[in-house]
Amino acid sequence: MTTARLIALDQILFVLVAAAWAATAGIALTGLRQPAAAGRRTRLIAAASCAAAIVVTALRVAVTAGLAGAGWWFVAEKVTLALPLVVVPALVSAAVSLPRLLRGTATGSTRIVAFPLLVAAYGAVAGIACAVVISYPVTAGGAAAVLALFAAGSAVTWRLLGPARSPRHGWQAAGTCVLALALALTIGGGWPSGHLHPEHDAGGPGVSVDLLRGPAPAAAGGPAGARERVRRFTLTAQPATVRLPSGGGAEAWSFNGQVPGPVLRVRQGDLVEVVLRNRLPVRGGAEQADSGQADSGQGVTIHWHGYDVPAAEDGVPGVTQNAVWPGQSHVYRFRAEDAGTYWYHSHQNSSVAVPRGLFGLLVVDPAAPAPESEDHVLALHAFGSRATLSVDGAAPSDLLTRLTLPPGARTRLRVVNTDTRPVVLGLSGVPYRIAAVDGGDVPGATELDGARLHLAAGGRYDLTFTMPSGPVLLTTGDRPALLVNGPATPPPAAGPIVDITRYGSPAALPDRFDRETTWVLDKTLAVSGGLPRLAQTVNGKAWPNIPTPVVRRGQTVRIRVVNRGTDTHPMHPHGHHVRILSRNGVPATGLAMDTFDVAPGEVWEVALVADNPGVWMSHCHDLAHAAQGMEFHLAYEGVTTPYDMTGGNHPA
Ligand code: C2O
Ligand code: CU
């Protein structure tokens, strides 16, 4: 069974285990309070229920043992805490309660029979609590909180089941519970203070991220200026309306009135200069906008997704700049050193802004002439529930888009997933190759025929083929999205999904690492925005309390990413591509990716070479998950940032 299945099964089982023990205890208590003969039947039912509870408990142990095979990260809190709390009383129940219930005549032994059953029920409930409050690593606070409640419940129960009961006992019991709860909240609630990045706060020694800028254009007429091509663009954030061919529509935020924003197409070596202007509506009047005051409307930035620009050009509010408020502007500059397919999007309130349309495509053509004569860039995006496709920056369509290409033409389709969910792509009617992944060429890309592809949110695949005489069909999800040279439609690709980590020829990979770090992804109760909430967590913590990994320039870092939750997480470290070393222990070919999809139960190992100093965002590109806590920083020793989350800066 896959790890993901075991995780899901475990979640069903811990509810079942709790229900079984609670039912058993309830039935037994009823039976024990009835007169000997009348209660006999009830006590036998309780015995049967107890046997069932023991069986599901054993099943849970077996599932945990299976999960342990995938790694200690998946089971630590279960083995050390959740299981002992239910298994020990379950064993006592089997030895003490079950035989007495079976004899059927047990009377006068309420305490001895019912206590282990009730404690098993508490233990099982504590197991559910563990799943909600504790991730990996197991924290002393979380464990103490669970234990305190469990112990208090058990102690009170022991008293209440005793022979001499008086109203005083009730008060004592209530008092104990309140005390335990207070204790649990105090220990478990050693909530972090919300220090954002103490390791690299402004004011410390070092270089400010603000100084790590892209190059300014060489002075006109200078020797370097003669060779340098500067490409200037203006992107104006403004409202727009998206009309879908099916009849649907959406109020959107756009760059230059179009969604997606303009395709920025430059050549390798160009100096790119982009002026961002914010003309989104002002909240609360024009003077507020003039004062550049935070919260005077929707702020905007531009992040160059997958383009490893100098840190100051990365477009993250609160990290590399302040959000650009309505009426303000900002200039980005970087040299287009790497050819390939990229995209850009606002990073202010990105979980709202990107789905609403503040994104566009960036294509860097290689300096050497490309072999393909047909080159088209496709953006996948959902407006509400409508999946759409935009070809070459044209208005998005939720119906089948048609394209005509000359048969025999060497063709490149650059597919960009600008959505927050992964998509399964199918290309049929022609064998094809994945020529590039996340902008980088794939060495030794083999030909695929009928195979389907899984593209992470934020990720890009360049698909190349020679246009056949017949039609070619691209499907996204189950939807026929693009038909080239119809009207006949080839059957959709239905082959297996390519394991992208094993695609292409093996690259030379680092085998020595200066640092190792593990990111365990989960969904648990954590403090985010000052309050405990169900959050998407990394190592049990949520933004802004996830500690910042700090690297030194030149270091090679091995990052292990473990997903112990039930959601897929497209992890996206800014400023760097990582090389995929392995997935679930299976060696990878070493493709460079900037957004990699870690599915439930998966363990990825990637290598990051620290060659781009800065303070970088690192987050899940399911932007709702980022907003629910799954974002943190990656910082370089000696680099500080003067920006923070005050003044309305809000990356997720
Ligand atoms: Cu495309 Cu931090 O994001
Ligand atoms: Cu996620």
Side-chain angles (χ1 to χ4, degrees), residues 255-302:
F255 287 115
N256 299 3
Q258 52 186 106
V259 180
V263 179
L264 308 187
R265 197 146 191 156
V266 302
R267 207 171 52 218
Q268 198 175 12
D270 285 353
L271 182 71
V272 182
E273 185 179 285
V274 177
V275 179
L276 164 66
R277 298 189 309 162
N278 188 351
R279 295 285 182 273
L280 286 169
V282 177
R283 195 191 294 142
E287 325 91 70
Q288 210 179 359
D290 287 343
S291 69
Q293 202 176 316
D295 243 10
S296 61
Q298 170 64 30
V300 178
T301 65
I302 298 180

Coordinates of all heavy atoms in Angstrom, one line a residue, residues 255-302:
F255 N -2.6 43.2 -15.7 CA -1.5 44.0 -16.2 C -1.9 44.6 -17.5 O -2.2 43.8 -18.5 CB -0.2 43.3 -16.2 CG 0.4 43.0 -14.8 CD1 0.5 41.7 -14.4 CD2 0.8 44.0 -14.0 CE1 1.0 41.4 -13.1 CE2 1.3 43.7 -12.7 CZ 1.4 42.4 -12.3
N256 N -1.9 45.9 -17.7 CA -2.2 46.5 -19.0 C -3.6 46.2 -19.5 O -3.8 46.1 -20.7 CB -1.2 46.2 -20.0 CG 0.2 46.7 -19.6 OD1 0.4 47.3 -18.5 ND2 1.2 46.6 -20.4
G257 N -4.5 45.9 -18.6 CA -5.9 45.6 -19.1 C -6.1 44.2 -19.7 O -7.2 43.9 -20.2
Q258 N -5.1 43.4 -19.7 CA -5.3 42.1 -20.3 C -4.9 41.0 -19.3 O -4.0 41.1 -18.5 CB -4.5 42.0 -21.6 CG -3.0 42.4 -21.4 CD -2.2 42.4 -22.8 OE1 -1.9 43.4 -23.3 NE2 -1.9 41.2 -23.3
V259 N -5.6 39.9 -19.4 CA -5.3 38.7 -18.5 C -5.2 37.5 -19.4 O -6.1 37.2 -20.2 CB -6.5 38.5 -17.5 CG1 -6.1 37.3 -16.7 CG2 -6.7 39.7 -16.6
P260 N -4.1 36.8 -19.5 CA -2.9 37.1 -18.7 C -2.3 38.5 -19.2 O -2.6 39.0 -20.3 CB -1.9 36.0 -19.1 CG -2.5 35.2 -20.2 CD -4.0 35.6 -20.3
G261 N -1.3 39.0 -18.4 CA -0.6 40.2 -18.8 C 0.2 40.0 -20.1 O 0.2 38.8 -20.6
P262 N 0.8 41.0 -20.7 CA 1.5 40.9 -21.9 C 2.6 39.8 -21.8 O 3.2 39.6 -20.7 CB 2.2 42.2 -22.1 CG 1.6 43.1 -21.1 CD 0.8 42.4 -20.1
V263 N 2.8 39.1 -22.9 CA 3.9 38.1 -22.9 C 5.2 39.0 -23.1 O 5.3 39.7 -24.1 CB 3.8 37.1 -24.1 CG1 5.0 36.2 -24.1 CG2 2.5 36.4 -24.0
L264 N 6.1 38.9 -22.1 CA 7.4 39.6 -22.2 C 8.3 38.6 -22.9 O 8.7 37.6 -22.3 CB 7.9 40.0 -20.9 CG 7.0 40.8 -19.9 CD1 7.7 41.3 -18.7 CD2 6.4 42.0 -20.7
R265 N 8.7 38.9 -24.1 CA 9.5 38.0 -24.9 C 10.9 38.7 -25.2 O 10.9 39.8 -25.8 CB 8.8 37.6 -26.2 CG 9.5 36.4 -26.8 CD 8.4 35.5 -27.5 NE 9.1 34.3 -27.8 CZ 8.6 33.1 -28.0 NH1 7.3 33.0 -27.9 NH2 9.3 32.1 -28.2
V266 N 11.9 38.2 -24.6 CA 13.2 38.9 -24.8 C 14.2 37.9 -25.3 O 13.9 36.7 -25.3 CB 13.7 39.5 -23.5 CG1 12.7 40.6 -23.0 CG2 14.0 38.5 -22.4
R267 N 15.5 38.4 -25.6 CA 16.5 37.5 -26.0 C 17.5 37.3 -24.9 O 17.8 38.3 -24.2 CB 17.1 37.9 -27.3 CG 17.7 36.8 -28.2 CD 18.1 37.3 -29.5 NE 19.0 38.5 -29.4 CZ 19.0 39.5 -30.2 NH1 18.1 39.6 -31.2 NH2 19.8 40.5 -30.0
Q268 N 18.1 36.1 -24.9 CA 19.1 35.8 -23.9 C 20.2 36.9 -24.0 O 20.7 37.2 -25.1 CB 19.7 34.5 -24.2 CG 20.5 33.9 -23.1 CD 20.9 32.4 -23.4 OE1 20.8 32.0 -24.6 NE2 21.4 31.7 -22.4
G269 N 20.6 37.5 -22.9 CA 21.6 38.6 -22.9 C 21.0 39.9 -22.8 O 21.7 40.9 -22.4
D270 N 19.7 40.1 -23.1 CA 19.1 41.4 -23.0 C 19.1 41.9 -21.6 O 19.0 41.1 -20.6 CB 17.6 41.3 -23.5 CG 17.5 41.2 -25.0 OD1 18.5 41.4 -25.7 OD2 16.4 41.0 -25.4
L271 N 19.1 43.2 -21.4 CA 18.9 43.8 -20.1 C 17.4 44.1 -20.1 O 16.9 44.8 -21.0 CB 19.7 45.0 -19.9 CG 19.5 45.7 -18.6 CD1 20.2 44.8 -17.5 CD2 20.1 47.1 -18.5
V272 N 16.7 43.6 -19.1 CA 15.2 43.8 -19.1 C 14.9 44.8 -18.0 O 15.4 44.7 -16.9 CB 14.5 42.4 -18.7 CG1 13.0 42.6 -18.7 CG2 14.9 41.3 -19.7
E273 N 14.1 45.8 -18.4 CA 13.8 46.9 -17.5 C 12.2 47.0 -17.5 O 11.6 47.2 -18.5 CB 14.4 48.2 -17.9 CG 14.1 49.3 -16.9 CD 14.8 50.6 -17.3 OE1 16.0 50.7 -17.2 OE2 14.1 51.5 -17.8
V274 N 11.6 46.7 -16.4 CA 10.2 46.8 -16.3 C 9.7 47.8 -15.3 O 10.1 47.8 -14.1 CB 9.6 45.4 -15.9 CG1 8.1 45.4 -15.8 CG2 10.0 44.3 -16.9
V275 N 8.9 48.7 -15.7 CA 8.3 49.7 -14.8 C 6.9 49.2 -14.4 O 6.1 48.9 -15.3 CB 8.2 51.1 -15.5 CG1 7.5 52.1 -14.5 CG2 9.5 51.6 -16.0
L276 N 6.8 49.0 -13.1 CA 5.5 48.5 -12.6 C 4.7 49.8 -12.1 O 5.3 50.6 -11.3 CB 5.6 47.6 -11.5 CG 4.4 47.3 -10.6 CD1 3.3 46.6 -11.4 CD2 4.8 46.5 -9.4
R277 N 3.5 50.0 -12.6 CA 2.7 51.1 -12.1 C 1.4 50.5 -11.5 O 0.8 49.6 -12.1 CB 2.3 52.1 -13.2 CG 3.6 52.7 -13.9 CD 3.2 53.8 -14.8 NE 2.2 53.3 -15.7 CZ 1.3 54.1 -16.4 NH1 1.4 55.4 -16.3 NH2 0.5 53.6 -17.3
N278 N 1.0 51.0 -10.4 CA -0.2 50.5 -9.8 C -1.4 51.5 -10.0 O -1.4 52.6 -9.5 CB 0.0 50.2 -8.3 CG -1.2 49.5 -7.7 OD1 -2.3 49.3 -8.4 ND2 -1.1 49.0 -6.5
R279 N -2.3 51.1 -10.8 CA -3.5 51.9 -11.1 C -4.8 51.2 -10.6 O -5.9 51.4 -11.2 CB -3.6 52.3 -12.6 CG -2.5 53.1 -13.1 CD -2.7 54.6 -12.6 NE -1.6 55.4 -13.2 CZ -0.4 55.6 -12.6 NH1 -0.1 55.0 -11.5 NH2 0.5 56.3 -13.2
L280 N -4.6 50.3 -9.6 CA -5.8 49.7 -9.1 C -6.6 50.7 -8.2 O -6.0 51.7 -7.8 CB -5.4 48.5 -8.2 CG -5.0 47.3 -9.1 CD1 -4.4 46.2 -8.2 CD2 -6.1 46.7 -9.9
P281 N -7.9 50.5 -8.0 CA -8.6 51.5 -7.3 C -8.1 51.8 -5.9 O -7.6 50.9 -5.3 CB -10.0 51.0 -7.3 CG -10.0 49.6 -7.9 CD -8.7 49.4 -8.4
V282 N -8.3 53.0 -5.5 CA -7.9 53.4 -4.2 C -9.0 53.2 -3.2 O -10.2 53.5 -3.5 CB -7.5 54.9 -4.2 CG1 -7.1 55.4 -2.8 CG2 -6.4 55.1 -5.2
R283 N -8.7 52.7 -2.1 CA -9.7 52.6 -1.0 C -9.5 53.8 -0.1 O -8.5 54.1 0.3 CB -9.4 51.3 -0.2 CG -10.5 50.9 0.7 CD -10.0 49.8 1.7 NE -9.6 48.6 1.0 CZ -8.6 47.8 1.3 NH1 -7.8 48.2 2.3 NH2 -8.3 46.7 0.7
G284 N -10.6 54.6 0.0 CA -10.5 55.7 0.9 C -10.0 57.0 0.4 O -9.5 57.9 1.1
G285 N -10.0 57.2 -0.9 CA -9.7 58.5 -1.4 C -8.3 58.7 -2.0 O -7.4 58.0 -1.6
A286 N -8.2 59.7 -2.8 CA -6.9 59.9 -3.5 C -5.8 60.4 -2.6 O -4.6 60.0 -2.8 CB -7.1 60.9 -4.6
E287 N -6.1 61.2 -1.6 CA -5.0 61.7 -0.7 C -4.3 60.5 -0.1 O -3.1 60.5 0.0 CB -5.4 62.6 0.4 CG -6.6 63.5 0.1 CD -7.9 62.9 0.5 OE1 -8.1 62.7 1.7 OE2 -8.7 62.5 -0.4
Q288 N -5.1 59.5 0.2 CA -4.4 58.3 0.9 C -3.4 57.7 0.0 O -2.4 57.3 0.4 CB -5.5 57.3 1.3 CG -5.1 56.6 2.5 CD -6.2 55.6 3.0 OE1 -7.2 55.5 2.4 NE2 -5.9 54.9 4.0
A289 N -3.8 57.6 -1.3 CA -2.9 57.0 -2.3 C -1.7 57.9 -2.4 O -0.5 57.4 -2.5 CB -3.6 56.9 -3.6
D290 N -1.9 59.2 -2.5 CA -0.7 60.1 -2.6 C 0.3 59.9 -1.5 O 1.5 60.0 -1.7 CB -1.2 61.6 -2.7 CG -1.8 61.8 -4.0 OD1 -1.6 61.0 -5.0 OD2 -2.6 62.8 -4.1
S291 N -0.3 59.7 -0.3 CA 0.6 59.6 0.8 C 1.3 58.2 0.8 O 2.2 57.9 1.6 CB -0.2 59.7 2.1 OG -1.0 58.6 2.3
G292 N 0.9 57.4 -0.2 CA 1.6 56.1 -0.3 C 1.3 55.2 0.9 O 2.1 54.3 1.2
Q293 N 0.2 55.5 1.5 CA -0.1 54.8 2.8 C -0.5 53.4 2.6 O -1.2 53.1 1.6 CB -1.2 55.6 3.4 CG -1.3 55.4 4.9 CD -2.5 56.3 5.4 OE1 -2.6 57.4 5.1 NE2 -3.3 55.7 6.3
A294 N -0.1 52.5 3.4 CA -0.4 51.1 3.4 C -1.9 51.0 3.5 O -2.6 51.9 4.0 CB 0.2 50.4 4.6
D295 N -2.4 50.0 2.8 CA -3.8 49.7 2.9 C -4.7 50.7 2.2 O -5.9 50.8 2.5 CB -4.2 49.6 4.4 CG -4.7 48.2 4.7 OD1 -4.5 47.3 3.9 OD2 -5.3 48.0 5.8
S296 N -4.1 51.4 1.3 CA -4.9 52.3 0.5 C -5.5 51.7 -0.7 O -5.8 52.3 -1.7 CB -4.1 53.6 0.2 OG -3.0 53.1 -0.7
G297 N -5.6 50.3 -0.7 CA -6.1 49.6 -1.8 C -5.3 48.3 -2.0 O -4.6 47.9 -1.0
Q298 N -5.3 47.8 -3.2 CA -4.6 46.5 -3.4 C -3.1 46.9 -3.8 O -2.9 47.5 -4.9 CB -5.3 45.7 -4.5 CG -4.5 44.5 -4.9 CD -4.2 43.5 -3.9 OE1 -5.0 43.3 -2.9 NE2 -3.1 42.8 -4.0
G299 N -2.2 46.5 -3.0 CA -0.8 46.7 -3.4 C -0.4 45.6 -4.4 O -1.1 44.6 -4.6
V300 N 0.7 45.9 -5.1 CA 1.2 45.0 -6.2 C 2.7 45.0 -6.1 O 3.4 45.9 -5.7 CB 0.7 45.6 -7.6 CG1 1.3 44.7 -8.7 CG2 -0.8 45.7 -7.7
T301 N 3.3 43.8 -6.5 CA 4.7 43.7 -6.8 C 4.8 42.8 -8.0 O 3.8 42.2 -8.5 CB 5.5 43.1 -5.7 OG1 5.1 41.7 -5.6 CG2 5.3 43.8 -4.4
I302 N 6.0 42.6 -8.6 CA 6.2 41.6 -9.6 C 7.3 40.7 -9.2 O 8.4 41.1 -8.9 CB 6.5 42.2 -11.0 CG1 5.3 43.1 -11.5 CG2 6.7 41.1 -12.0 CD1 5.6 43.7 -12.8

